[in-house]
Amino acid sequence: MIEALRALKPEGLKAFTEDLKSAVLERVEDKIAHLESSMAVAELTVAVHYVLNTPEDILIWDVGHQGYFHKAITGRLEELRNMRKPGGISGFLKRSESPFDFFGAGHASTSISALSGVCAADKLSNRARHRVAIIGDGSLTGGQSFEALNFIGAQAYDAVVIINDNEGSIDATVGALHEHQSYKGYVESLGWSYTFLEEGNDVEKAVEVFNKVLRGSGPRVLHVKTTRPDLSHEKSYKPGTTFQWYAAEALRDVLTKYWDLQLISPAMFAGSGFAPLKYAFEDQMIDTGINEAHAVTMAAGIAATGGRPWVHIYSTFLQRAYDQVVHDIVLQKLPVVFLVDRAGVVGADGSTHHGFYDSGFLSDLPGVIVWNPMDGTELQSMIREAADMVLTGPLFIRYPKSTTVCGKAEPFEAWRWLQKSQMTKGKTDEEEEGYVGYDLPGLGADLEGVLFVTTGELSSYWKNHPVGDHIHLAQIHPIPEDALKEMLGKKLLVVMEETAGYGSIGGTISMLVATSQMEKRFSTRVVVKRIPDRIVDHGDRSLLLKELGLIP
Amino acid sequence: MIEALRALKPEGLKAFTEDLKSAVLERVEDKIAHLESSMAVAELTVAVHYVLNTPEDILIWDVGHQGYFHKAITGRLEELRNMRKPGGISGFLKRSESPFDFFGAGHASTSISALSGVCAADKLSNRARHRVAIIGDGSLTGGQSFEALNFIGAQAYDAVVIINDNEGSIDATVGALHEHQSYKGYVESLGWSYTFLEEGNDVEKAVEVFNKVLRGSGPRVLHVKTTRPDLSHEKSYKPGTTFQWYAAEALRDVLTKYWDLQLISPAMFAGSGFAPLKYAFEDQMIDTGINEAHAVTMAAGIAATGGRPWVHIYSTFLQRAYDQVVHDIVLQKLPVVFLVDRAGVVGADGSTHHGFYDSGFLSDLPGVIVWNPMDGTELQSMIREAADMVLTGPLFIRYPKSTTVCGKAEPFEAWRWLQKSQMTKGKTDEEEEGYVGYDLPGLGADLEGVLFVTTGELSSYWKNHPVGDHIHLAQIHPIPEDALKEMLGKKLLVVMEETAGYGSIGGTISMLVATSQMEKRFSTRVVVKRIPDRIVDHGDRSLLLKELGLIP
């Protein structure tokens, strides 16, 4: 398609774009918020591929959620039909998918840094080509974009950054820069020239202005206004069915109970299901923009002055504030409650968005508490408990993007038996393997001496399954001592968790058991079932969990 | 002292400041680079404490390395004598040290975020007071400062940010903002008013201008020029004695061998010992400013276009780029070599600067290789090997701030025996406890069946100590399979590592051993000796290691 596009005369671009819009709209079912972002840049996408000689010229899309037209133009129109589905193409750009996807993403604000790398390499090898990044006004609230602009501005690299200003990402863009529309002063202060294009959805105009900017030299910003269509937002949750919904319900209670509780979210109130609360508790709900580091340190500042800060953040984005958790909260022993959304396998958003690493890196820190609810009932009890507790450090409540159930309020318990029998009914070897997805020689025909330890939603999946004695850890760090006592002395512990790596409960329990072997004169085997050491792609959450052997 | 200061008339402030300078200079022996930063703000420090009613009014220092006069004025003049020494006060600000240290730090660019938290809490509770943060021009290159400025600018909080512009942090400040001195345009674009004070080392003038700014409202920036004295830099290493020195030597070789190797450092070339190389390899050595996230993604950009990027970064600052390591490098399988400096116990810089967490959080990621050299010889062999390898993901070479030895070049080996005997000479129980700092019942009078596994500089400390069979892991992730085979079947594994938490080699080996118990029909006990689950303060590196039981 790209050759056909480049063979057109400028006056043919409008019809081409309109046809392409119909073709894309016909094929994309999911994800509508990202489809809107893509529709907003349909003309811009056509224009840049028309003018640039991609993939020889470098084109980097920030986040990549607005890349549906880019995909279509670069040979993936038909594959849009199965985008974000198991086996289908990614909803974001991905290097492994196409040579036109020069730099993949999923998280915001990285594109200009990546661009600077290309500039530096090209400078060293004297390579001349166009180098362009496209970044939204939302992504510009992330500090990394400033770091890169400030750096390139001083290096005076030949580089073009297109600011795609469409009034927001998923939530409306916050921050003075956008509010005051002061992009010109901002980028000029950082050593960039500035060109403005009001008519970003006029493809011929876009081609003309983009061509003009490309003919310049040094660091150049092209600020383009585009318009997002309203294609009726897909709900990220269905009322009364998800962890997100039940979190919002309980949050309403604690926001009411504690007038000084302030909930900070780095631009994810809409995704979290908390948007309705924002109107009811305007002074207590603070959207900081896409800036996780700032959001976390801001919470520390509230705690330092005796306030009651909570932070809502996706697990995958918490990776961006790890140092702030360590440096500003843990080392200062400040009480901050974190609602860690999208913990574990995330589903359609795929590899860039899974929440696999936080339970490991959080459990390594002194004075940290980590909770994983098994269902909506427990999540609500955790939120109420967290609000009432006197904390001496951070508390993390991690829940997945998943449907769940919620019964009547229960008091919080750090762990509990889901099944405990005098003598569990035996299973054949074949059945056992089916349950735990592991070869377990030596178990014989019974499950005596076997203890299953699960946490989070996996506990719900395994509850009522005849897997032998079964403990649910609501608190995974520190592991409650009396739960640990139950584990020692068993023949086999099967530990299951949606985490990657060697820390979290797999590593902790293994270390404890391995340390205890000789002293206690027994031999406990621990089988840790976790996310394997490989990249996990997108797909339906429960299908992925099954494929990973984590659910029956 | 603060009451005496506030009782003065403005015309007495100059003499007060001069006396205080003498008093501070007389008492501070370490750390000279930070003493220079503090001297530069002596007048500014006197001025803000004179005008503000601290600690009721909020005063937040970014990083806190320039806080020596702040400490002196707030009751810690005499304690400057033992600052940064074991048992002495911290070299940075610390909440637990004084109510005047409202928000501690050590890392850069957090102060304005913390300030925003105070503003938000005060707004909710209708509390009126002055709220001031002081941040250097170097720290402003960190994107978090932009995030906070952009956020506060939109919220229109009553807040004052003093930009202390003294031309640099440890390295000279880079970036267009500083180069073009365009702070006015920058902060105004973010919704802040701007006042400039050229004579920042004139205390009376500073008081006058600061008072004027305080009488304003909304977000206000006061940009102050100050002058750093040259007190002859303390060398962070002695030629020919440190890991840093030997790294620089080998780096010179590989920069010469590979013209396209580009080494990126987020403002730490001086601290790294690589400053001399910067002049010899100007095009290949890139200082990005204090912006770890940008530096890491920039390296990914170089790799994406086929270049040969290396990143020099301190372990503690790598925490700021964790998501960039995951999202931009690991998921895209890009080859980037990291020189992770200040890994493990860091010494005098203390709790905010220890490098305890990276070996855990890196080992959790797919396709990552992690190396810990035991001495200069091995570090050099690693650097040469890393340059020659064909990588399919990131490689991390972690080395401590420590003196070491370096012999003639050796080929890289992923692991090796440091001691292997048919039958190790027996030790008494008492001696054993002395060696490993652990109660090891059941070992009896011999060390047969005991295997010590160490990594990094700990291997050097334990080498030649009669501790029984002893393996050094140069590669800690993935653990070499043949080394693992040696571990299985042992009576006792003692695993030692400068890491906190449950991952890294302690968790990995424990998990493997715990998994193997039943199958192999043996019982191996694993004792993991690591950084305990508590905050570790500053002090001499080897004293701290001894206190933590990690060296003999």
Side-chain angles (χ1 to χ4, degrees), chain B residues 51-127:
Chain B
V51 171
L52 293 175
N53 181 32
T54 51
E56 293 307 308
D57 287 336
I58 296 297
L59 175 63
I60 302 176
W61 293 87
D62 204 87
V63 192
H65 65 291
Q66 75 292 62
Y68 296 1
F69 284 82
H70 166 84
K71 286 183 188 248
I73 291 170
T74 58
R76 286 166 282 177
L77 175 62
E78 288 312 320
E79 286 164 277
L80 291 178
R81 289 191 194 278
N82 65 355
M83 182 168 61
R84 296 170 53 89
K85 291 173 194 157
I89 61 173
S90 166
F92 299 98
L93 303 202
K94 213 167 177 176
R95 275 172 69 79
S96 56
E97 220 175 73
S98 164
F100 289 91
D101 294 5
F102 174 78
F103 202 81
H107 294 189
S109 320
T110 62
S111 60
I112 311 175
S113 295
L115 188 71
S116 77
V118 180
C119 294
D122 284 359
K123 188 181 171 195
L124 197 64
S125 59
N126 266 316
R127 180 164 183 183

Side-chain angles (χ1 to χ4, degrees), chain A residues 10-27:
Chain A
E11 48 272 30
L13 293 174
K14 189 167 183 214
F16 176 91
T17 309
E18 291 309 314
D19 288 350
L20 192 58
K21 278 184 180 175
S22 307
V24 168
L25 277 173
E26 191 195 317
R27 286 164 177 83

Side-chain angles (χ1 to χ4, degrees), chain B residues 427-495:
Chain B
K427 295 283 137 199
T428 68
D429 271 20
E430 200 180 21
E431 280 172 309
E432 277 158 27
E433 285 183 31
Y435 289 137
V436 297
Y438 253 88
D439 174 33
L440 298 175
L443 264 188
D446 71 81
L447 289 168
E448 205 189 339
V450 179
L451 177 59
F452 281 74
V453 180
T454 59
T455 183
E457 204 193 6
L458 295 189
S459 293
S460 283
Y461 277 107
W462 286 97
K463 189 183 168 183
N464 301 326
H465 254 269
V467 293
D469 287 356
H470 184 184
I471 279 177
H472 163 63
L473 291 180
Q475 177 169 308
I476 61 165
H477 188 79
I479 298 179
E481 275 195 30
D482 40 358
L484 280 176
K485 274 182 201 148
E486 296 290 346
M487 298 179 206
L488 293 177
K490 289 293 183 295
K491 189 168 68 178
L492 172 68
L493 296 175
V494 180
V495 180

Side-chain angles (χ1 to χ4, degrees), chain A residues 347-403:
Chain A
D349 276 342
S351 58
T352 51
H353 282 63
H354 291 304
F356 293 160
Y357 301 115
D358 67 305
S359 59
F361 67 61
L362 294 173
S363 300
D364 287 350
L365 305 175
V368 160
I369 301 171
V370 186
W371 291 348
N372 286 348
M374 66 183 283
D375 57 23
T377 317
E378 189 166 55
L379 174 57
Q380 292 200 335
S381 76
M382 286 176 174
I383 289 173
R384 295 193 187 101
E385 177 78 9
D388 293 343
M389 277 171 81
V390 176
L391 291 167
T392 55
L395 167 65
F396 297 84
I397 305 176
R398 308 173 63 258
Y399 54 95
K401 178 168 167 60
S402 186
T403 55

Side-chain angles (χ1 to χ4, degrees), chain A residues 160-165 183-185 187-188 192-199 205-206 208-217 219-225:
Chain A
V160 173
V161 167
I162 299 177
I163 298 176
N164 167 40
D165 182 358
Y183 291 104
K184 182 172 191 291
V187 304
E188 286 180 349
W192 293 66
S193 71
Y194 175 87
T195 303
F196 181 62
L197 170 62
E198 176 79 42
E199 309 89 347
K205 186 93 186 166
E208 180 196 324
V209 175
F210 182 49
N211 256 321
K212 201 177 125 208
V213 170
L214 275 189
R215 282 194 295 270
S217 67
R220 287 151 284 164
V221 160
L222 171 58
H223 176 197
V224 179
K225 284 274 178 193

Side-chain angles (χ1 to χ4, degrees), chain B residues 139-298:
Chain B
S139 287
L140 275 182
T141 62
Q144 190 179 345
S145 65
F146 159 79
E147 294 175 346
L149 287 169
N150 188 35
F151 173 76
I152 294 179
Q155 298 288 326
Y157 291 144
D158 281 322
V160 174
V161 167
I162 299 177
I163 298 176
N164 166 40
D165 181 359
N166 65 13
E167 304 296 327
S169 42
I170 295 174
D171 285 285
T173 298
V174 299
L177 183 57
H178 189 72
E179 211 169 88
H180 302 174
Q181 283 288 308
S182 44
Y183 291 104
K184 182 171 192 291
Y186 173 64
V187 304
E188 286 180 350
S189 78
L190 302 177
W192 293 67
S193 71
Y194 175 87
T195 304
F196 181 62
L197 170 62
E198 176 80 40
E199 309 89 347
N201 293 98
D202 177 335
V203 62
E204 282 187 67
K205 187 91 186 169
V207 165
E208 182 196 323
V209 175
F210 183 50
N211 255 321
K212 202 178 125 208
V213 170
L214 275 189
R215 282 194 297 271
S217 67
R220 287 152 283 162
V221 160
L222 170 59
H223 176 196
V224 179
K225 284 275 178 191
T226 58
T227 306
R228 281 167 80 94
D230 184 353
L231 302 172
S232 80
H233 275 272
E234 175 203 33
K235 289 271 184 304
S236 67
Y237 60 95
K238 289 186 191 67
T241 59
T242 61
F243 281 93
Q244 285 66 32
W245 175 267
Y246 295 119
E249 271 191 354
L251 206 53
R252 177 180 292 277
D253 296 344
V254 298
L255 282 164
T256 305
K257 184 170 180 181
Y258 296 102
W259 67 270
D260 60 340
L261 193 161
Q262 294 183 292
L263 178 68
I264 297 168
S265 177
M268 284 298 151
F269 278 135
S272 67
F274 297 168
L277 292 176
K278 190 154 163 34
Y279 304 101
F281 299 91
E282 215 176 340
D283 294 341
Q284 289 171 265
M285 307 268 292
I286 300 170
D287 178 351
T288 56
I290 306 178
N291 44 30
E292 295 78 11
H294 165 64
V296 168
T297 305
M298 180 180 174

